[in-house]
Amino acid sequence: MDQMDQNVNQETQRVPQPPRRRRSRRQKNGGCAGTVVYVIAVLGISVILSLAAIFVANDVFAFVKENAVKEITVSENTDLLSLAKQLDDEGVINYGTIFKLYVRAKGDNQGVLAGSYSLNPNMDYGQIIDTLVNASSTETMKITVPEGYSIAQIRQMLLDEHVCTEDALDEVLNTYSFKHEFLKDELPAEEGWLEGYLFPDTYEIYKGNATVVDTINKMLNNFESKYDDDIKAGAETLGRSMHDIVTIASLVEREAQVDSERAKIAGVIYNRLNNPSEFPYLQVDASVLYGLGRTSGPLSQEDLASDTPYNLYTKQGLPPGPICNPGYASLYAAAHPEQHNYYYYVAMPDGSHLFANSYEEHQTNIATSDAAQAAAAAENTEGTGE
């Protein structure tokens, strides 16, 4: 029995086991080839991306680029983004799309003043942008700022004369902190903060965005010199600050059409200011118009009820600030008002005014004015044949 068991065990041990499967050489080679192809593809893509990055970086930073002056002509109402294709076509840059991305990333899409510019491909993007938006010119021109112009009107005049771009001008007018001593109480800089202090006069200025600060600075310097000792003495006598004098002068400038009436109109304003219990409102139409963003035209009942800080039919005292930039005559009148008992005035067709010291007299003057205005309108109608 034991012998039989041993034989069985031996036979069992001799039973052949199934052979193990071996990977064929072809399978091994296929796996290696796939890996090599993947590595080559990755390396190829990396090389391509690296080369693209080098070319783009060279265009942006101008490491190695052609040295050749290109004359670029910029038309009206053009900004940096819209110039990208032209710069690309003219060979100043190689990748207009990248230039657009650069401008957007920098948040620097400013307007460019119309004219000719000398640019060079060896300038980097930053230098190109700086040349376009901060260009200065040796060309000078004369501009005349009329008395009574508001900042909005001066701004539009400078744009109409193509002195600079809108972006450059607005930045200087609204955010540049001029250091004049008389402006320290007006800081911080904000929209409209220079109203009243851009002295009306004729100026010779340079064209270009780089000279905008100089242009506005000339007007401020002129104001500083024109606000002379006589005006300062008058303001001190009246107990009024420069801000008050300039504000009152701006009201006089917009209301007076006849030079001889400036001090008289200033006197009406002071009479009302000095009697607030009886005359709480100045009722100056020009200030209402300013608050409505206008400079002329009739006022409706809705206009007179408008809720603006400059509506002197509903707001007591002076407006928050000047409503225009007054000339010397109005500044002097504001500092030296005529002494009288008038509290009212109404305009006549020729620009003069009728003055009154009582409401009853004022009503009579209004009737006289209305009749004269109607007669003048009828005469104008006949003259035009309508």
Side-chain angles (χ1 to χ4, degrees):
M1 184 73 179
D2 292 340
Q3 184 65 36
M4 290 179 63
D5 291 339
Q6 290 177 1
N7 291 336
V8 170
N9 289 337
Q10 289 175 356
E11 290 297 326
T12 303
Q13 292 174 359
R14 292 194 189 102
V15 174
Q17 299 296 320
R20 294 182 181 177
R21 297 182 62 185
R22 294 183 178 181
R23 295 179 62 189
S24 68
R25 184 173 295 176
R26 180 179 297 177
Q27 287 177 318
K28 289 182 179 180
N29 290 341
C32 290
T35 301
V36 171
V37 170
Y38 175 77
V39 171
I40 291 174
V42 170
L43 289 175
I45 293 172
S46 298
V47 170
I48 292 172
L49 291 177
S50 297
L51 289 174
I54 290 172
F55 285 126
V56 169
N58 185 46
D59 201 45
V60 174
F61 300 106
F63 294 129
V64 181
K65 291 184 68 177
E66 178 188 9
N67 181 13
V69 175
K70 306 282 187 178
E71 290 293 332
I72 305 297
T73 300
V74 178
S75 57
E76 293 289 342
N77 302 317
T78 302
D79 57 29
L80 289 170
L81 287 178
S82 60
L83 266 180
K85 185 178 185 305
Q86 184 179 352
L87 293 173
D88 195 343
D89 292 342
E90 297 286 348
V92 178
I93 60 175
N94 296 324
Y95 307 108
T97 301
I98 300 300
F99 184 80
K100 286 183 177 181
L101 292 174
Y102 182 92
V103 170
R104 288 193 176 101
K106 299 281 285 184
D108 206 20
N109 186 32
Q110 301 182 47
V112 180
L113 188 66
S116 296
Y117 296 84
S118 295
L119 300 174
N120 198 312
N122 66 11
M123 300 168 69
D124 61 41
Y125 281 10
Q127 291 172 320
I128 292 171
I129 291 172
D130 185 64
T131 299
L132 290 169
V133 302
N134 294 314
S136 58
S137 171
T138 57
E139 179 184 355
T140 63
M141 63 179 300
K142 287 187 177 182
I143 60 168
T144 298
V145 178
E147 295 177 345
Y149 257 33
S150 66
I151 280 185
Q153 291 173 299
I154 294 174
R155 174 184 179 275
Q156 191 59 52
M157 181 188 68
L158 293 175
L159 295 178
D160 290 343
E161 294 291 340
H162 310 299
V163 172
C164 55
T165 64
E166 187 173 11
D167 291 334
L169 180 56
D170 287 345
E171 182 178 358
V172 172
L173 287 175
N174 301 330
T175 66
Y176 191 89
S177 297
F178 291 94
K179 303 304 180 184
H180 296 75
E181 182 68 19
F182 62 85
L183 288 175
K184 66 178 182 180
D185 293 333
E186 306 292 339
L187 289 168
E190 60 183 355
E191 184 175 356
W193 79 294
L194 297 178
E195 191 77 88
Y197 300 99
L198 302 184
F199 195 81
D201 207 338
T202 297
Y203 299 92
E204 185 171 7
I205 62 173
Y206 286 98
K207 296 182 68 173
N209 292 342
T211 58
V212 179
V213 171
D214 181 63
T215 297
I216 302 302
N217 204 55
K218 283 184 177 180
M219 299 180 190
L220 294 172
N221 290 343
N222 200 8
F223 171 86
E224 189 170 31
S225 66
K226 293 299 192 298
Y227 197 88
D228 59 21
D229 291 341
D230 286 341
I231 296 176
K232 292 176 183 176
E236 185 176 355
T237 299
L238 294 168
R240 292 287 175 175
S241 65
M242 175 186 285
H243 181 84
D244 287 348
I245 294 297
V246 177
T247 300
I248 293 169
S250 73
L251 298 177
V252 172
E253 190 68 69
R254 295 296 302 178
E255 290 283 289
Q257 300 298 313
V258 178
D259 284 343
S260 61
E261 291 185 350
R262 294 180 193 274
K264 187 175 289 188
I265 289 175
V268 172
I269 293 172
Y270 278 106
N271 285 346
R272 283 178 169 257
L273 288 173
N274 294 333
N275 292 275
S277 59
E278 190 174 353
F279 299 96
Y281 303 108
L282 292 182
Q283 299 182 327
V284 176
D285 291 357
S287 186
V288 180
L289 288 168
Y290 182 84
L292 296 171
R294 293 158 48 192
T295 57
S296 62
L299 290 170
S300 65
Q301 288 302 314
E302 183 180 359
D303 293 335
L304 294 176
S306 60
D307 186 21
T308 79
Y310 293 89
N311 187 349
L312 301 187
Y313 282 80
T314 61
K315 308 297 181 183
Q316 298 185 10
L318 291 171
I323 64 170
C324 71
N325 295 276
Y328 183 83
S330 292
L331 286 168
Y332 189 89
H336 301 86
E338 184 176 314
Q339 302 297 312
H340 54 59
N341 295 319
Y342 296 132
Y343 291 89
Y344 307 90
Y345 58 82
V346 62
M348 294 292 284
D350 63 356
S352 65
H353 293 81
L354 300 177
F355 294 83
N357 57 21
S358 69
Y359 184 70
E360 291 75 19
E361 185 181 1
H362 181 54
Q363 289 298 106
T364 300
N365 287 344
I366 290 176
T368 302
S369 172
D370 289 345
Q373 300 284 2
E379 184 177 341
N380 290 335
T381 301
E382 291 176 2
T384 56
E386 296 180 0

